[in-house]
Amino acid sequence: QVQLVESGGGLVQAGGSLRLSCAASGRTFTNPTMAWFRQAPGKEREFVAAMNWSGTYTAYSNSVKGRFTISRDNAENTVSLQMNNLKPEDTAVYYCACDKLSTGSQYYGQFDYWGQGTQVTVSS
């Protein structure tokens, strides 16, 4: 079993920046893909960004491309999401997730483990 814990959320004004971190603990898997999803009240869970173990594959949703950057430090078992130029529509709970099969899927059902989430609120 793998545990994922997100941190770094908070309240920020539009145009500001936040950096989210995800720490993995417990049993780990070889070459897992890590991703960030988000979910706003009354909306479906939405893919945000993903990166494979080696860093050779990254993916972003169109809504965040150019503003968000995913990174990982495998030695520290952490994944980060740098969020710049935040917009009110970015307001959501952000979740870290792990796809142990590294399929490249952006579908939430493909991901095996999830963190508890961290709240990001962007004011107008």
Side-chain angles (χ1 to χ4, degrees), residues 55-69:
T56 58
Y57 164 80
T58 57
Y60 297 93
S61 68
N62 289 332
S63 61
V64 307
K65 185 172 292 186
R67 299 187 298 119
F68 291 10
T69 302

Side-chain angles (χ1 to χ4, degrees), residues 95-106:
Y95 298 92
C96 177
C98 173
D99 175 8
K100 64 183 181 182
L101 296 180
S102 296
T103 64
S105 175
Q106 299 177 10

Side-chain angles (χ1 to χ4, degrees), residues 8-10 12 18 20 83 86 90-94 118-122:
V12 65
L18 285 173
L20 307 183
M83 306 184 295
L86 284 160
D90 295 319
T91 296
V93 177
Y94 283 70
T118 184
Q119 177 70 48
V120 172
T121 302
V122 184

